Amino acid sequence: MKYKKEDIIRHICKIREEIGHQEVKPSIEDIIFDEEDQSMLIIASDRPEKSIIIGKGGWVVGKLKEKLNINSIHIEAYPDILLREYKAKLTLNKLENILDSQELDYKEPLENLKVLLKERIKKIYNFEDNLNKFKDIEEPQENLAVVALSGGVDSSFSLIVAKTLGFNPIAVTVNPGSIILPKYFHKSVEELSNKLNVDHIYIEVNMDDVIKDSLEGRFHPCGRCSKLIKKSVLDYAKELGVKYLIYGDTLSTGSQSIVIEDGIVKINLPAMLSVTKGEIKNIASKYGILSKGGYGCPLINEVHKKYPHMRKFSIQRVLRETRAGVLEPGEALEMIMKSI
């Protein structure tokens, strides 16, 4: 079915009138409807136009979904799409420079990543369609990549994409103890690795000093914890002799999303692809990985309880992801409320 902008705008105006909202005609750039999923993407001209379409408490878009009798409606602001396109282009330039300048024995996964980025730039609003074009990629016999896998949606997304693009990854989970990595994350990483037919190992790391000092209020644990985890995974990648190391970072976008250190190509895959948290959750959910909600690990939650002033550092992280376009304001607000 083809939906016309004029018809959707008319429905929105009528719904706003019926529920007592201000009479405002929204500006819409485009409407994309997926017949198979019965889902609609509405691209609003700007964020204020997006707010008009959503309505207070989501009433307008909710009633529009009922009116059209479809499964879901997602609203995007056109400037947000342009920003993701721009960041993806920066990343593509860096990747092309690496492909041209570096002596790599097996470049096919990076070439696949280059094609995926180009597809992403052409069709920025539907990452799943972009990724589905890489089904049944032939993998090399040996592991080319180590993927840091915590069991959360970001790292799970990275493993799924790395496998799809032919990196033949091995998944590595750093285990600093249950106060940082609860047992249910062990189940998630093991089940995902099995579904993807990916080898998986645990690296045991002693973080007693980080845990002790955090619980005594000396510092916020996330920075030190992250640094130790990344070092442990990097050391393992060097020991294994792989060419690529992949993380689930969402913030190091553009040129900083792919760098070379000690001869290893380090890739922050979600940041490199300029994906939103919604797109990450969608891909991860296809493999049974669901967001646990809330903020952080049991350690940081305990630190928040004992030392409320530490919450501001956690909130700063959420705000950074919001400014980067990774989190929607509503998602950010929910995370902040669960951290205080």
Side-chain angles (χ1 to χ4, degrees):
M1 178 181 291
K2 178 73 172 177
Y3 287 96
K4 296 181 179 179
K5 284 196 292 184
E6 295 76 15
D7 293 336
I8 298 300
I9 290 170
R10 188 175 66 254
H11 285 315
I12 291 168
C13 290
K14 182 66 174 174
I15 290 168
R16 289 183 64 87
E17 180 185 354
E18 289 172 349
I19 64 178
H21 279 15
Q22 182 182 3
E23 294 183 21
V24 183
K25 182 179 179 180
S27 175
I28 294 174
E29 289 289 325
D30 200 2
I31 293 170
I32 297 144
F33 183 66
D34 188 318
E35 289 275 4
E36 183 177 349
D37 292 339
Q38 288 291 292
S39 61
M40 177 179 287
L41 170 66
I42 299 176
I43 301 176
S45 301
D46 204 348
R47 275 195 169 267
E49 306 296 337
K50 177 179 176 178
S51 298
I52 291 170
I53 298 167
I54 293 173
K56 295 176 182 177
W59 275 31
V60 176
V61 71
K63 289 189 174 292
L64 179 62
K65 182 172 76 75
E66 292 175 6
K67 177 76 174 176
L68 301 178
N69 193 28
I70 59 179
N71 291 333
S72 64
I73 299 178
H74 180 64
I75 320 296
E76 286 266 17
Y78 189 51
D80 294 339
I81 291 176
L82 291 177
L83 177 59
R84 294 208 297 276
E85 284 180 356
Y86 175 70
K87 289 191 289 188
K89 288 176 181 176
L90 288 177
T91 302
L92 179 60
N93 288 336
K94 180 68 174 291
L95 176 57
E96 288 176 335
N97 288 336
I98 289 174
L99 284 168
D100 291 340
S101 63
Q102 296 297 312
E103 294 289 338
L104 295 170
D105 295 334
Y106 199 86
K107 292 186 177 182
E108 280 82 353
L110 281 191
E111 294 286 358
N112 293 334
L113 185 52
K114 175 181 171 181
V115 174
L116 177 58
L117 269 169
K118 288 185 174 181
E119 290 294 322
R120 174 73 168 157
I121 291 166
K122 286 193 296 185
K123 195 176 181 182
I124 198 75
Y125 46 78
N126 195 330
F127 181 76
E128 187 176 1
D129 279 358
N130 303 150
L131 190 63
N132 283 340
K133 296 177 182 179
F134 293 87
K135 296 294 184 183
D136 303 318
I137 289 286
E138 186 174 344
E139 291 182 310
Q141 293 299 311
E142 296 182 356
N143 298 110
L144 295 177
V146 161
V147 177
L149 181 64
S150 68
V153 291
D154 296 343
S155 65
S156 298
F157 168 91
S158 297
L159 183 62
I160 293 163
V161 174
K163 177 70 175 178
T164 304
L165 294 180
F167 280 95
N168 190 14
I170 181 169
V172 175
T173 301
V174 174
N175 183 19
S178 59
I179 194 170
I180 294 177
L181 189 75
K183 290 295 183 183
Y184 57 79
F185 279 115
H186 291 235
K187 181 181 178 182
S188 294
V189 299
E190 290 161 11
E191 288 183 351
L192 179 61
S193 298
N194 287 333
K195 285 178 183 177
L196 293 171
N197 193 27
V198 167
D199 292 333
H200 172 262
I201 71 152
Y202 287 103
I203 299 177
E204 303 296 327
V205 174
N206 188 326
M207 287 202 190
D208 289 349
D209 289 343
V210 172
I211 294 168
K212 177 177 178 293
D213 289 345
S214 299
L215 292 176
E216 291 176 355
R218 290 195 174 94
F219 53 71
H220 190 281
C222 290
R224 288 168 173 79
C225 180
S226 176
K227 185 177 180 179
L228 283 171
I229 287 173
K230 287 184 176 180
K231 183 182 184 305
S232 299
V233 177
L234 177 59
D235 288 345
Y236 180 78
K238 290 177 182 177
E239 178 185 329
L240 200 64
V242 299
K243 303 301 181 185
Y244 305 104
L245 176 55
I246 296 172
Y247 298 109
D249 182 29
T250 58
L251 287 173
S252 302
T253 57
S255 298
Q256 299 309 310
S257 63
I258 177 168
V259 296
I260 298 175
E261 181 178 338
D262 296 333
I264 296 177
V265 181
K266 295 170 60 177
I267 302 170
N268 296 308
L269 210 42
M272 189 171 190
L273 294 165
S274 296
V275 285
T276 65
K277 188 65 78 173
E279 289 172 320
I280 290 171
K281 290 177 180 177
N282 179 52
I283 296 298
S285 70
K286 306 293 183 184
Y287 293 83
I289 304 296
L290 303 176
S291 176
K292 303 298 181 183
Y295 181 89
C297 67
L299 173 61
I300 190 58
N301 290 327
E302 191 62 30
V303 170
H304 285 169
K305 289 177 188 176
K306 294 183 71 174
Y307 310 101
H309 69 278
M310 291 289 189
R311 293 170 180 163
K312 69 178 182 180
F313 301 108
S314 301
I315 292 171
Q316 284 174 348
R317 171 78 184 195
V318 175
L319 295 178
R320 286 172 64 201
E321 290 195 354
T322 309
R323 287 195 300 272
V326 177
L327 285 173
E328 284 291 317
E331 294 174 313
L333 178 60
E334 182 180 359
M335 291 183 72
I336 289 170
M337 293 304 294
K338 288 180 178 178
S339 76
I340 60 177

PDB file of all heavy atoms in Angstrom, residues 120-150:
ATOM      1  N   ARG A 120      24.560   1.933   3.785  1.00  0.00           N
ATOM      2  CA  ARG A 120      24.021   2.678   4.931  1.00  0.00           C
ATOM      3  C   ARG A 120      23.817   4.144   4.565  1.00  0.00           C
ATOM      4  O   ARG A 120      22.795   4.741   4.911  1.00  0.00           O
ATOM      5  CB  ARG A 120      25.003   2.543   6.103  1.00  0.00           C
ATOM      6  CG  ARG A 120      24.680   3.364   7.347  1.00  0.00           C
ATOM      7  CD  ARG A 120      23.522   2.784   8.076  1.00  0.00           C
ATOM      8  NE  ARG A 120      23.372   3.381   9.403  1.00  0.00           N
ATOM      9  CZ  ARG A 120      22.230   3.401  10.072  1.00  0.00           C
ATOM     10  NH1 ARG A 120      21.152   2.870   9.549  1.00  0.00           N
ATOM     11  NH2 ARG A 120      22.161   3.939  11.268  1.00  0.00           N
ATOM     12  N   ILE A 121      24.778   4.722   3.871  1.00  0.00           N
ATOM     13  CA  ILE A 121      24.679   6.130   3.485  1.00  0.00           C
ATOM     14  C   ILE A 121      23.529   6.344   2.505  1.00  0.00           C
ATOM     15  O   ILE A 121      22.796   7.332   2.595  1.00  0.00           O
ATOM     16  CB  ILE A 121      26.018   6.611   2.886  1.00  0.00           C
ATOM     17  CG1 ILE A 121      27.090   6.662   4.002  1.00  0.00           C
ATOM     18  CG2 ILE A 121      25.880   7.977   2.230  1.00  0.00           C
ATOM     19  CD1 ILE A 121      28.496   6.787   3.488  1.00  0.00           C
ATOM     20  N   LYS A 122      23.341   5.376   1.590  1.00  0.00           N
ATOM     21  CA  LYS A 122      22.255   5.502   0.609  1.00  0.00           C
ATOM     22  C   LYS A 122      20.884   5.305   1.249  1.00  0.00           C
ATOM     23  O   LYS A 122      19.901   5.909   0.825  1.00  0.00           O
ATOM     24  CB  LYS A 122      22.440   4.473  -0.510  1.00  0.00           C
ATOM     25  CG  LYS A 122      23.558   4.801  -1.481  1.00  0.00           C
ATOM     26  CD  LYS A 122      23.490   3.942  -2.733  1.00  0.00           C
ATOM     27  CE  LYS A 122      23.708   2.476  -2.431  1.00  0.00           C
ATOM     28  NZ  LYS A 122      23.758   1.647  -3.659  1.00  0.00           N
ATOM     29  N   LYS A 123      20.828   4.441   2.266  1.00  0.00           N
ATOM     30  CA  LYS A 123      19.542   4.107   2.895  1.00  0.00           C
ATOM     31  C   LYS A 123      19.743   4.117   4.407  1.00  0.00           C
ATOM     32  O   LYS A 123      19.749   3.082   5.063  1.00  0.00           O
ATOM     33  CB  LYS A 123      19.070   2.732   2.411  1.00  0.00           C
ATOM     34  CG  LYS A 123      17.618   2.425   2.698  1.00  0.00           C
ATOM     35  CD  LYS A 123      17.244   1.074   2.090  1.00  0.00           C
ATOM     36  CE  LYS A 123      15.764   0.774   2.345  1.00  0.00           C
ATOM     37  NZ  LYS A 123      15.376  -0.546   1.804  1.00  0.00           N
ATOM     38  N   ILE A 124      19.927   5.301   4.954  1.00  0.00           N
ATOM     39  CA  ILE A 124      20.348   5.477   6.338  1.00  0.00           C
ATOM     40  C   ILE A 124      19.280   5.060   7.335  1.00  0.00           C
ATOM     41  O   ILE A 124      19.581   4.763   8.496  1.00  0.00           O
ATOM     42  CB  ILE A 124      20.759   6.954   6.586  1.00  0.00           C
ATOM     43  CG1 ILE A 124      21.621   7.091   7.852  1.00  0.00           C
ATOM     44  CG2 ILE A 124      19.538   7.855   6.646  1.00  0.00           C
ATOM     45  CD1 ILE A 124      23.025   6.614   7.693  1.00  0.00           C
ATOM     46  N   TYR A 125      18.035   4.992   6.919  1.00  0.00           N
ATOM     47  CA  TYR A 125      16.932   4.801   7.847  1.00  0.00           C
ATOM     48  C   TYR A 125      16.550   3.338   8.066  1.00  0.00           C
ATOM     49  O   TYR A 125      15.623   3.052   8.806  1.00  0.00           O
ATOM     50  CB  TYR A 125      15.692   5.569   7.353  1.00  0.00           C
ATOM     51  CG  TYR A 125      15.405   5.390   5.882  1.00  0.00           C
ATOM     52  CD1 TYR A 125      14.801   4.247   5.392  1.00  0.00           C
ATOM     53  CD2 TYR A 125      15.772   6.377   4.978  1.00  0.00           C
ATOM     54  CE1 TYR A 125      14.577   4.078   4.047  1.00  0.00           C
ATOM     55  CE2 TYR A 125      15.544   6.224   3.621  1.00  0.00           C
ATOM     56  CZ  TYR A 125      14.948   5.066   3.165  1.00  0.00           C
ATOM     57  OH  TYR A 125      14.722   4.898   1.824  1.00  0.00           O
ATOM     58  N   ASN A 126      17.225   2.390   7.426  1.00  0.00           N
ATOM     59  CA  ASN A 126      16.853   0.986   7.641  1.00  0.00           C
ATOM     60  C   ASN A 126      18.091   0.110   7.647  1.00  0.00           C
ATOM     61  O   ASN A 126      18.473  -0.458   6.625  1.00  0.00           O
ATOM     62  CB  ASN A 126      15.861   0.514   6.575  1.00  0.00           C
ATOM     63  CG  ASN A 126      15.171  -0.798   6.966  1.00  0.00           C
ATOM     64  OD1 ASN A 126      15.743  -1.621   7.668  1.00  0.00           O
ATOM     65  ND2 ASN A 126      13.941  -0.966   6.534  1.00  0.00           N
ATOM     66  N   PHE A 127      18.722  -0.002   8.810  1.00  0.00           N
ATOM     67  CA  PHE A 127      19.970  -0.760   8.897  1.00  0.00           C
ATOM     68  C   PHE A 127      19.759  -2.245   8.647  1.00  0.00           C
ATOM     69  O   PHE A 127      20.615  -2.911   8.054  1.00  0.00           O
ATOM     70  CB  PHE A 127      20.618  -0.556  10.262  1.00  0.00           C
ATOM     71  CG  PHE A 127      21.912  -1.299  10.399  1.00  0.00           C
ATOM     72  CD1 PHE A 127      23.061  -0.824   9.788  1.00  0.00           C
ATOM     73  CD2 PHE A 127      21.978  -2.494  11.097  1.00  0.00           C
ATOM     74  CE1 PHE A 127      24.258  -1.514   9.876  1.00  0.00           C
ATOM     75  CE2 PHE A 127      23.167  -3.191  11.206  1.00  0.00           C
ATOM     76  CZ  PHE A 127      24.310  -2.695  10.587  1.00  0.00           C
ATOM     77  N   GLU A 128      18.646  -2.786   9.082  1.00  0.00           N
ATOM     78  CA  GLU A 128      18.412  -4.225   8.915  1.00  0.00           C
ATOM     79  C   GLU A 128      18.417  -4.616   7.442  1.00  0.00           C
ATOM     80  O   GLU A 128      18.999  -5.635   7.054  1.00  0.00           O
ATOM     81  CB  GLU A 128      17.097  -4.637   9.572  1.00  0.00           C
ATOM     82  CG  GLU A 128      16.892  -6.150   9.570  1.00  0.00           C
ATOM     83  CD  GLU A 128      15.637  -6.571  10.315  1.00  0.00           C
ATOM     84  OE1 GLU A 128      14.909  -5.694  10.813  1.00  0.00           O
ATOM     85  OE2 GLU A 128      15.395  -7.789  10.388  1.00  0.00           O
ATOM     86  N   ASP A 129      17.792  -3.795   6.601  1.00  0.00           N
ATOM     87  CA  ASP A 129      17.818  -4.061   5.154  1.00  0.00           C
ATOM     88  C   ASP A 129      19.238  -4.019   4.613  1.00  0.00           C
ATOM     89  O   ASP A 129      19.629  -4.833   3.771  1.00  0.00           O
ATOM     90  CB  ASP A 129      16.962  -3.030   4.407  1.00  0.00           C
ATOM     91  CG  ASP A 129      15.483  -3.371   4.449  1.00  0.00           C
ATOM     92  OD1 ASP A 129      15.131  -4.419   5.028  1.00  0.00           O
ATOM     93  OD2 ASP A 129      14.675  -2.588   3.919  1.00  0.00           O
ATOM     94  N   ASN A 130      20.034  -3.053   5.094  1.00  0.00           N
ATOM     95  CA  ASN A 130      21.436  -2.956   4.671  1.00  0.00           C
ATOM     96  C   ASN A 130      22.177  -4.249   5.003  1.00  0.00           C
ATOM     97  O   ASN A 130      22.906  -4.799   4.173  1.00  0.00           O
ATOM     98  CB  ASN A 130      22.146  -1.797   5.374  1.00  0.00           C
ATOM     99  CG  ASN A 130      21.493  -0.444   5.163  1.00  0.00           C
ATOM    100  OD1 ASN A 130      21.573   0.412   6.031  1.00  0.00           O
ATOM    101  ND2 ASN A 130      20.845  -0.230   4.044  1.00  0.00           N
ATOM    102  N   LEU A 131      22.002  -4.727   6.229  1.00  0.00           N
ATOM    103  CA  LEU A 131      22.757  -5.886   6.708  1.00  0.00           C
ATOM    104  C   LEU A 131      22.313  -7.186   6.044  1.00  0.00           C
ATOM    105  O   LEU A 131      23.139  -8.079   5.812  1.00  0.00           O
ATOM    106  CB  LEU A 131      22.604  -6.001   8.225  1.00  0.00           C
ATOM    107  CG  LEU A 131      23.513  -7.009   8.931  1.00  0.00           C
ATOM    108  CD1 LEU A 131      24.986  -6.625   8.777  1.00  0.00           C
ATOM    109  CD2 LEU A 131      23.157  -7.109  10.415  1.00  0.00           C
ATOM    110  N   ASN A 132      21.035  -7.297   5.729  1.00  0.00           N
ATOM    111  CA  ASN A 132      20.511  -8.538   5.152  1.00  0.00           C
ATOM    112  C   ASN A 132      21.126  -8.875   3.794  1.00  0.00           C
ATOM    113  O   ASN A 132      21.024 -10.017   3.334  1.00  0.00           O
ATOM    114  CB  ASN A 132      18.985  -8.454   5.018  1.00  0.00           C
ATOM    115  CG  ASN A 132      18.290  -8.651   6.349  1.00  0.00           C
ATOM    116  OD1 ASN A 132      18.867  -9.206   7.287  1.00  0.00           O
ATOM    117  ND2 ASN A 132      17.057  -8.187   6.448  1.00  0.00           N
ATOM    118  N   LYS A 133      21.764  -7.905   3.162  1.00  0.00           N
ATOM    119  CA  LYS A 133      22.397  -8.153   1.871  1.00  0.00           C
ATOM    120  C   LYS A 133      23.685  -8.961   1.997  1.00  0.00           C
ATOM    121  O   LYS A 133      24.282  -9.343   0.990  1.00  0.00           O
ATOM    122  CB  LYS A 133      22.676  -6.824   1.166  1.00  0.00           C
ATOM    123  CG  LYS A 133      21.407  -6.050   0.821  1.00  0.00           C
ATOM    124  CD  LYS A 133      21.718  -4.708   0.198  1.00  0.00           C
ATOM    125  CE  LYS A 133      20.419  -3.949  -0.092  1.00  0.00           C
ATOM    126  NZ  LYS A 133      20.652  -2.613  -0.677  1.00  0.00           N
ATOM    127  N   PHE A 134      24.124  -9.208   3.239  1.00  0.00           N
ATOM    128  CA  PHE A 134      25.399  -9.898   3.453  1.00  0.00           C
ATOM    129  C   PHE A 134      25.218 -11.290   4.035  1.00  0.00           C
ATOM    130  O   PHE A 134      26.130 -11.846   4.633  1.00  0.00           O
ATOM    131  CB  PHE A 134      26.288  -9.059   4.378  1.00  0.00           C
ATOM    132  CG  PHE A 134      26.722  -7.768   3.756  1.00  0.00           C
ATOM    133  CD1 PHE A 134      25.920  -6.646   3.862  1.00  0.00           C
ATOM    134  CD2 PHE A 134      27.905  -7.676   3.055  1.00  0.00           C
ATOM    135  CE1 PHE A 134      26.296  -5.438   3.285  1.00  0.00           C
ATOM    136  CE2 PHE A 134      28.292  -6.486   2.471  1.00  0.00           C
ATOM    137  CZ  PHE A 134      27.484  -5.366   2.582  1.00  0.00           C
ATOM    138  N   LYS A 135      24.041 -11.867   3.839  1.00  0.00           N
ATOM    139  CA  LYS A 135      23.811 -13.224   4.323  1.00  0.00           C
ATOM    140  C   LYS A 135      24.694 -14.213   3.557  1.00  0.00           C
ATOM    141  O   LYS A 135      24.973 -14.036   2.365  1.00  0.00           O
ATOM    142  CB  LYS A 135      22.337 -13.600   4.147  1.00  0.00           C
ATOM    143  CG  LYS A 135      21.370 -12.762   4.977  1.00  0.00           C
ATOM    144  CD  LYS A 135      21.554 -12.994   6.465  1.00  0.00           C
ATOM    145  CE  LYS A 135      20.512 -12.238   7.279  1.00  0.00           C
ATOM    146  NZ  LYS A 135      20.721 -12.403   8.720  1.00  0.00           N
ATOM    147  N   ASP A 136      25.126 -15.257   4.262  1.00  0.00           N
ATOM    148  CA  ASP A 136      25.885 -16.357   3.653  1.00  0.00           C
ATOM    149  C   ASP A 136      27.222 -15.915   3.073  1.00  0.00           C
ATOM    150  O   ASP A 136      27.673 -16.421   2.041  1.00  0.00           O
ATOM    151  CB  ASP A 136      25.055 -17.045   2.554  1.00  0.00           C
ATOM    152  CG  ASP A 136      23.725 -17.556   3.091  1.00  0.00           C
ATOM    153  OD1 ASP A 136      23.726 -18.111   4.197  1.00  0.00           O
ATOM    154  OD2 ASP A 136      22.707 -17.384   2.397  1.00  0.00           O
ATOM    155  N   ILE A 137      27.869 -14.948   3.725  1.00  0.00           N
ATOM    156  CA  ILE A 137      29.227 -14.565   3.341  1.00  0.00           C
ATOM    157  C   ILE A 137      30.185 -15.714   3.664  1.00  0.00           C
ATOM    158  O   ILE A 137      30.101 -16.326   4.723  1.00  0.00           O
ATOM    159  CB  ILE A 137      29.665 -13.290   4.098  1.00  0.00           C
ATOM    160  CG1 ILE A 137      28.904 -12.070   3.580  1.00  0.00           C
ATOM    161  CG2 ILE A 137      31.165 -13.066   3.999  1.00  0.00           C
ATOM    162  CD1 ILE A 137      29.342 -11.577   2.235  1.00  0.00           C
ATOM    163  N   GLU A 138      31.099 -16.017   2.763  1.00  0.00           N
ATOM    164  CA  GLU A 138      32.075 -17.066   3.014  1.00  0.00           C
ATOM    165  C   GLU A 138      33.155 -16.552   3.960  1.00  0.00           C
ATOM    166  O   GLU A 138      33.728 -15.485   3.745  1.00  0.00           O
ATOM    167  CB  GLU A 138      32.708 -17.521   1.696  1.00  0.00           C
ATOM    168  CG  GLU A 138      33.631 -18.722   1.858  1.00  0.00           C
ATOM    169  CD  GLU A 138      34.150 -19.255   0.534  1.00  0.00           C
ATOM    170  OE1 GLU A 138      33.554 -18.895  -0.515  1.00  0.00           O
ATOM    171  OE2 GLU A 138      35.133 -19.997   0.545  1.00  0.00           O
ATOM    172  N   GLU A 139      33.427 -17.324   5.002  1.00  0.00           N
ATOM    173  CA  GLU A 139      34.416 -16.926   6.002  1.00  0.00           C
ATOM    174  C   GLU A 139      35.746 -17.652   5.774  1.00  0.00           C
ATOM    175  O   GLU A 139      35.770 -18.754   5.247  1.00  0.00           O
ATOM    176  CB  GLU A 139      33.914 -17.266   7.414  1.00  0.00           C
ATOM    177  CG  GLU A 139      32.750 -16.427   7.869  1.00  0.00           C
ATOM    178  CD  GLU A 139      32.348 -16.782   9.290  1.00  0.00           C
ATOM    179  OE1 GLU A 139      32.179 -17.985   9.580  1.00  0.00           O
ATOM    180  OE2 GLU A 139      32.195 -15.863  10.104  1.00  0.00           O
ATOM    181  N   PRO A 140      36.843 -17.035   6.229  1.00  0.00           N
ATOM    182  CA  PRO A 140      38.136 -17.728   6.181  1.00  0.00           C
ATOM    183  C   PRO A 140      38.164 -18.855   7.214  1.00  0.00           C
ATOM    184  O   PRO A 140      37.319 -18.918   8.103  1.00  0.00           O
ATOM    185  CB  PRO A 140      39.137 -16.624   6.537  1.00  0.00           C
ATOM    186  CG  PRO A 140      38.343 -15.680   7.392  1.00  0.00           C
ATOM    187  CD  PRO A 140      36.948 -15.692   6.821  1.00  0.00           C
ATOM    188  N   GLN A 141      39.131 -19.735   7.115  1.00  0.00           N
ATOM    189  CA  GLN A 141      39.241 -20.859   8.047  1.00  0.00           C
ATOM    190  C   GLN A 141      39.671 -20.404   9.434  1.00  0.00           C
ATOM    191  O   GLN A 141      39.227 -20.947  10.446  1.00  0.00           O
ATOM    192  CB  GLN A 141      40.246 -21.886   7.505  1.00  0.00           C
ATOM    193  CG  GLN A 141      39.788 -22.584   6.227  1.00  0.00           C
ATOM    194  CD  GLN A 141      38.502 -23.368   6.424  1.00  0.00           C
ATOM    195  OE1 GLN A 141      38.378 -24.138   7.378  1.00  0.00           O
ATOM    196  NE2 GLN A 141      37.540 -23.157   5.548  1.00  0.00           N
ATOM    197  N   GLU A 142      40.551 -19.403   9.502  1.00  0.00           N
ATOM    198  CA  GLU A 142      41.065 -18.945  10.783  1.00  0.00           C
ATOM    199  C   GLU A 142      40.293 -17.718  11.270  1.00  0.00           C
ATOM    200  O   GLU A 142      39.755 -16.948  10.474  1.00  0.00           O
ATOM    201  CB  GLU A 142      42.548 -18.593  10.662  1.00  0.00           C
ATOM    202  CG  GLU A 142      43.435 -19.787  10.331  1.00  0.00           C
ATOM    203  CD  GLU A 142      44.894 -19.405  10.273  1.00  0.00           C
ATOM    204  OE1 GLU A 142      45.200 -18.200  10.415  1.00  0.00           O
ATOM    205  OE2 GLU A 142      45.725 -20.302  10.082  1.00  0.00           O
ATOM    206  N   ASN A 143      40.276 -17.549  12.608  1.00  0.00           N
ATOM    207  CA  ASN A 143      39.655 -16.353  13.182  1.00  0.00           C
ATOM    208  C   ASN A 143      40.440 -15.117  12.787  1.00  0.00           C
ATOM    209  O   ASN A 143      41.658 -15.066  12.918  1.00  0.00           O
ATOM    210  CB  ASN A 143      39.619 -16.438  14.709  1.00  0.00           C
ATOM    211  CG  ASN A 143      38.796 -17.607  15.215  1.00  0.00           C
ATOM    212  OD1 ASN A 143      39.333 -18.558  15.739  1.00  0.00           O
ATOM    213  ND2 ASN A 143      37.507 -17.527  15.048  1.00  0.00           N
ATOM    214  N   LEU A 144      39.732 -14.115  12.266  1.00  0.00           N
ATOM    215  CA  LEU A 144      40.370 -12.854  11.901  1.00  0.00           C
ATOM    216  C   LEU A 144      40.155 -11.786  12.957  1.00  0.00           C
ATOM    217  O   LEU A 144      40.873 -10.793  12.989  1.00  0.00           O
ATOM    218  CB  LEU A 144      39.810 -12.341  10.569  1.00  0.00           C
ATOM    219  CG  LEU A 144      40.087 -13.179   9.327  1.00  0.00           C
ATOM    220  CD1 LEU A 144      39.406 -12.555   8.135  1.00  0.00           C
ATOM    221  CD2 LEU A 144      41.577 -13.298   9.072  1.00  0.00           C
ATOM    222  N   ALA A 145      39.141 -11.973  13.800  1.00  0.00           N
ATOM    223  CA  ALA A 145      38.771 -10.907  14.739  1.00  0.00           C
ATOM    224  C   ALA A 145      38.471 -11.454  16.119  1.00  0.00           C
ATOM    225  O   ALA A 145      37.988 -12.581  16.272  1.00  0.00           O
ATOM    226  CB  ALA A 145      37.560 -10.140  14.215  1.00  0.00           C
ATOM    227  N   VAL A 146      38.762 -10.635  17.106  1.00  0.00           N
ATOM    228  CA  VAL A 146      38.279 -10.835  18.464  1.00  0.00           C
ATOM    229  C   VAL A 146      37.190  -9.798  18.701  1.00  0.00           C
ATOM    230  O   VAL A 146      37.371  -8.616  18.387  1.00  0.00           O
ATOM    231  CB  VAL A 146      39.412 -10.673  19.495  1.00  0.00           C
ATOM    232  CG1 VAL A 146      38.846 -10.422  20.889  1.00  0.00           C
ATOM    233  CG2 VAL A 146      40.301 -11.911  19.518  1.00  0.00           C
ATOM    234  N   VAL A 147      36.054 -10.245  19.221  1.00  0.00           N
ATOM    235  CA  VAL A 147      34.963  -9.328  19.562  1.00  0.00           C
ATOM    236  C   VAL A 147      34.765  -9.356  21.074  1.00  0.00           C
ATOM    237  O   VAL A 147      34.564 -10.422  21.664  1.00  0.00           O
ATOM    238  CB  VAL A 147      33.647  -9.719  18.861  1.00  0.00           C
ATOM    239  CG1 VAL A 147      32.516  -8.782  19.304  1.00  0.00           C
ATOM    240  CG2 VAL A 147      33.802  -9.666  17.344  1.00  0.00           C
ATOM    241  N   ALA A 148      34.853  -8.193  21.699  1.00  0.00           N
ATOM    242  CA  ALA A 148      34.600  -8.083  23.139  1.00  0.00           C
ATOM    243  C   ALA A 148      33.096  -8.212  23.372  1.00  0.00           C
ATOM    244  O   ALA A 148      32.317  -7.387  22.896  1.00  0.00           O
ATOM    245  CB  ALA A 148      35.111  -6.745  23.665  1.00  0.00           C
ATOM    246  N   LEU A 149      32.691  -9.251  24.087  1.00  0.00           N
ATOM    247  CA  LEU A 149      31.270  -9.560  24.249  1.00  0.00           C
ATOM    248  C   LEU A 149      30.905  -9.563  25.727  1.00  0.00           C
ATOM    249  O   LEU A 149      31.316 -10.448  26.479  1.00  0.00           O
ATOM    250  CB  LEU A 149      30.964 -10.927  23.625  1.00  0.00           C
ATOM    251  CG  LEU A 149      29.512 -11.399  23.681  1.00  0.00           C
ATOM    252  CD1 LEU A 149      28.604 -10.485  22.864  1.00  0.00           C
ATOM    253  CD2 LEU A 149      29.394 -12.840  23.195  1.00  0.00           C
ATOM    254  N   SER A 150      30.107  -8.570  26.133  1.00  0.00           N
ATOM    255  CA  SER A 150      29.694  -8.475  27.533  1.00  0.00           C
ATOM    256  C   SER A 150      28.343  -9.127  27.784  1.00  0.00           C
ATOM    257  O   SER A 150      27.999  -9.437  28.926  1.00  0.00           O
ATOM    258  CB  SER A 150      29.612  -7.004  27.948  1.00  0.00           C
ATOM    259  OG  SER A 150      28.527  -6.364  27.272  1.00  0.00           O
TER     260      SER A 150
END
